[in-house]
Amino acid sequence: NAGVTQTPKFRVLKTGQSMTLLCAQDMNHEYMYWYRQDPGMGLRLIHYSVGEGTTAKGEVPDGYNVSRLKKQNFLLGLESAAPSQTSVYFCASAGDRGRSQPQHFGDGTRLSIL
Amino acid sequence: GNSVTQMEGPVTLSEEAFLTINCTYTATGYPSLFWYVQYPGEGLQLLLKATKADDKGSNKGFEATYRKETTSFHLEKGSVQVSDSAVYFCALKRGSDNYGQNFVFGPGTRLSVLP
């Protein structure tokens, strides 16, 4: 029962470095999401995808890019990391847009930018 | 707009105490309502859900009833355990064309249960 898998689980970067966070789901879900979670801020939507080959901006997209080349994978990229991007990043997926369908979350990637 | 409001935490209880975490929402149409739980160092896990008015969701001793007249979905448990210590998120999902952003999460309520 893998569900949603995020890699890596932890990473420390220096300001200006780039990296890619990988999210993989094995539930054949159409919809995938990237959130960031910061103390006192709850969950904030960065980008999302409603199907293979599609992406769209969420609430806080600046400084991030995403790609959904395969249905099961959703990549989040930081081109030039900044300390303000220190956060815990969560990927989620949902089967369809029906209102009864919940989101399924990965365990998160803890990212520190020095 | 659509929003979810939760009681501010942290909530600290003794083991076997009764738990209530309040959640109220504002939404157009008829959303589904969810409670998620996040244990330390982990992602959010679905705890329970309700999809229409007067529905009761339940799981692991937790319950919540969809109250349309008061736009509420309060989480309750009769006797909490130390292992229930976590952050609890109330959320709604609308069925709409804006399906990418139709999930709305509350800010979370941290629960600490002391032995």
Side-chain angles (χ1 to χ4, degrees):
Chain A
N1 292 340
V4 178
T5 303
Q6 292 183 232
T7 53
K9 295 189 184 304
F10 304 93
R11 186 73 183 268
V12 178
L13 290 178
K14 295 181 179 179
T15 297
Q17 288 185 317
S18 63
M19 79 162 295
T20 300
L21 282 64
L22 172 63
C23 176
Q25 51 94 5
D26 62 1
M27 296 172 283
N28 202 35
H29 283 174
E30 289 291 337
Y31 299 86
M32 296 188 75
Y33 311 80
W34 276 107
Y35 292 91
R36 60 179 289 173
Q37 184 179 38
D38 302 291
M41 302 292 287
L43 287 170
R44 292 185 290 171
L45 182 65
I46 304 171
H47 285 281
Y48 63 95
S49 169
V50 301
E52 182 178 313
T54 75
T55 63
K57 295 180 179 180
E59 180 186 357
V60 288
D62 293 343
Y64 305 95
N65 56 75
V66 288
S67 63
R68 183 100 181 266
L69 298 180
K70 293 184 178 180
K71 185 177 183 178
Q72 63 268 33
N73 295 336
F74 194 31
L75 279 62
L76 177 70
L78 285 73
E79 291 187 349
S80 179
S84 61
Q85 294 177 306
T86 294
S87 188
V88 182
Y89 292 86
F90 288 100
C91 177
S93 69
D96 58 49
R97 65 174 178 173
R99 64 181 188 84
S100 67
Q101 291 295 315
Q103 287 187 341
H104 301 261
F105 284 82
D107 284 340
T109 295
R110 283 144 186 83
L111 184 61
S112 292
I113 315 296
L114 304 179
Chain B
N2 301 287
S3 65
V4 175
T5 302
Q6 294 180 231
M7 62 189 294
E8 293 202 15
V11 174
T12 303
L13 296 174
S14 298
E15 204 165 25
E16 299 184 1
F18 185 86
L19 168 70
T20 300
I21 300 178
N22 290 338
C23 171
T24 57
Y25 68 90
T26 302
T28 55
Y30 301 94
S32 289
L33 301 172
F34 305 85
W35 276 103
Y36 283 83
V37 58
Q38 183 180 30
Y39 299 105
E42 299 184 8
L44 280 70
Q45 302 174 24
L46 179 65
L47 182 59
L48 52 85
K49 72 176 185 180
T51 59
K52 61 183 187 296
D54 300 325
D55 265 3
K56 178 185 285 187
S58 61
N59 186 24
K60 300 181 181 179
F62 291 89
E63 294 182 339
T65 301
Y66 190 142
R67 300 289 188 197
K68 190 171 186 296
E69 64 277 12
T70 55
T71 62
S72 64
F73 193 54
H74 304 322
L75 182 68
E76 297 182 335
K77 187 176 186 184
S79 176
V80 293
Q81 305 300 311
V82 173
S83 57
D84 294 326
S85 298
V87 180
Y88 292 82
F89 291 89
C90 184
L92 68 83
K93 184 181 183 186
R94 302 173 294 122
S96 73
D97 290 337
N98 189 14
Y99 39 77
Q101 300 195 53
N102 61 352
F103 275 95
V104 179
F105 287 88
T109 300
R110 182 176 299 278
L111 170 67
S112 294
V113 181
L114 305 178

